Amino acid sequence: MFALNSGVEQGVVAEMTIFSLERAILIESAVKWLTEGVRQALPDEFDILHIDGSEYGSRGMSALPRAAASGEPGRWWGFVSVSSRDAFDVLYNPYTGAAREWIREHLESGAGFIEVCVGVFGDQGDPGAPLVNFNARFDEELPNYSRFGALLGEETLRGRGDIEERLVRAIKWMASSSPVKFLHLSHSNQGGRTELERCLSGIQGNPLVNIPKWPQVLRGYSWIMVIPSGVVDNLGGADALQRTGAFCEIEDMGNGSVWARASDRYREYTPDRVQAVWLALRSALIPGQPRLPMAVPGDPTPHLVYIPEIDPE
């Protein structure tokens, strides 16, 4: 057996996979995540996520306004950025009510990536790193899918446990009210892959190949997950998952899918918990023996285990 786990060394990202044959549903779900999803996570701060001195522009700005460089210490700030498939530039706007409609306009015109960044001005009035980022991604290769994400920075994980829990609440709300087919959480350096995919070679580690397999196969396993109904059935049902003891929370999402949480806090997702989750889900995972990528200074090791004696390749 080898265990691949270490303490928190950088941020983590939660990613939800949305599936629909109707693009309008994908767009509406993205707008919902980038507006009401933010409100769910930050209900008290939502209406003050603007930057003094910066004005909304219908086209957007090619750079963040100067006002974003400083502000009243302790005050919340927010901005939205849009990346289009047919342009190299990124457009910005303060996160105001008008900009929220701007999000919809760009999604309807084919934007590939939209991100909302939220933070607090520091003691010296500097914005610092965002506390949390919300995003929506559309891949041309998968026209019936979109991926919604939320990134928690390392500083947020270390010092703002309240933000962690509020974000989990928002993700759970989104998963229960939208066509979310899969949810996983991984370190922020995975490039759109699960931690398992990153450690698999060749086509087995390609998310664009694995995403359409969601009805029967899991792309990975993590601290919190949405497990699709077909996989739940193959694993014996929600009660069978509960009996494994791998999860502190198992909840039916109302459509056959299951919300699964391995520990109360992300920091408590320790090697023994990782192993318990792997043992519970291993028969449903994409095949292949994970291999550690070449170590890079500063990179965290994945939350993975592999026990050849139990699950030989």
Side-chain angles (χ1 to χ4, degrees):
M1 166 186 157
F2 60 84
L4 317 178
N5 198 349
S6 66
V8 176
E9 295 175 279
Q10 65 170 236
V12 296
V13 60
E15 183 185 273
M16 294 171 275
T17 300
I18 311 293
F19 170 77
S20 177
L21 295 175
E22 299 181 40
R23 180 166 175 80
I25 292 178
L26 297 178
I27 290 175
E28 199 59 41
S29 297
V31 172
K32 180 178 177 180
W33 173 238
L34 297 173
T35 55
E36 290 307 308
V38 178
R39 188 192 295 273
Q40 287 287 324
L42 305 167
D44 297 328
E45 299 84 5
F46 183 76
D47 291 324
I48 57 173
L49 294 177
H50 64 270
I51 302 170
D52 290 343
S54 61
E55 296 183 0
Y56 163 78
S58 59
R59 182 187 179 277
M61 296 165 280
S62 59
L64 285 175
R66 291 184 179 180
S70 62
E72 179 184 345
R75 182 164 188 164
W76 287 78
W77 56 261
F79 66 85
V80 57
S81 61
V82 173
S83 302
S84 298
R85 294 195 184 103
D86 56 356
F88 291 108
D89 57 335
V90 177
L91 299 177
Y92 300 88
N93 253 318
Y95 189 62
T96 64
R100 291 161 199 157
E101 285 304 310
W102 188 67
I103 288 173
R104 181 187 299 276
E105 293 172 9
H106 277 274
L107 286 170
E108 290 176 347
S109 64
F113 186 80
I114 296 185
E115 182 174 48
V116 174
C117 294
V118 175
V120 175
F121 289 110
D123 293 340
Q124 304 302 314
D126 58 293
L131 289 179
V132 61
N133 305 45
F134 302 79
N135 61 70
R137 175 190 301 273
F138 290 78
D139 298 298
E140 285 186 296
E141 300 89 341
L142 298 172
N144 296 325
Y145 294 85
S146 57
R147 289 187 277 172
F148 303 162
L151 170 65
L152 282 176
E154 179 180 2
E155 182 178 346
T156 308
L157 283 169
R158 292 185 184 278
R160 295 295 301 264
D162 61 317
I163 299 295
E164 173 185 304
E165 187 54 39
R166 286 197 275 172
L167 182 61
V168 169
R169 180 182 64 205
I171 293 169
K172 188 175 182 180
W173 168 82
M174 187 68 186
S176 65
S177 59
S178 303
V180 174
K181 303 305 180 184
F182 177 62
L183 160 69
H184 75 279
L185 183 143
S186 62
H187 289 297
S188 58
N189 66 342
Q190 308 304 316
R193 296 171 291 178
T194 67
E195 294 190 275
L196 177 57
E197 286 172 332
R198 185 171 182 247
C199 292
L200 293 173
S201 59
I203 197 170
Q204 291 173 317
N206 186 336
L208 298 182
V209 172
N210 293 327
I211 285 173
K213 300 177 182 178
W214 64 265
Q216 301 295 330
V217 178
L218 293 175
R219 294 170 50 211
Y221 55 100
S222 61
W223 170 49
I224 55 174
M225 302 179 65
V226 167
I227 305 173
S229 57
V231 174
V232 172
D233 291 343
N234 290 341
L235 292 172
D239 290 342
L241 287 172
Q242 186 72 70
R243 289 194 297 271
T244 66
F247 306 99
C248 68
E249 184 180 354
I250 288 285
E251 184 175 330
D252 189 333
M253 303 301 288
N255 57 6
S257 296
V258 162
W259 168 273
R261 185 171 181 170
S263 59
D264 290 332
R265 294 289 306 277
Y266 176 69
R267 283 184 168 277
E268 296 168 359
Y269 189 49
T270 51
D272 60 321
R273 305 305 308 160
V274 177
Q275 178 173 323
V277 172
W278 176 78
L279 287 170
L281 303 178
R282 68 187 188 280
S283 64
L285 296 172
I286 50 177
Q289 179 176 334
R291 293 174 172 82
L292 277 173
M294 182 176 66
V296 176
D299 269 6
T301 50
H303 287 78
L304 297 176
V305 298
Y306 181 71
I307 308 175
E309 311 88 76
I310 294 178
D311 191 25
E313 187 177 21

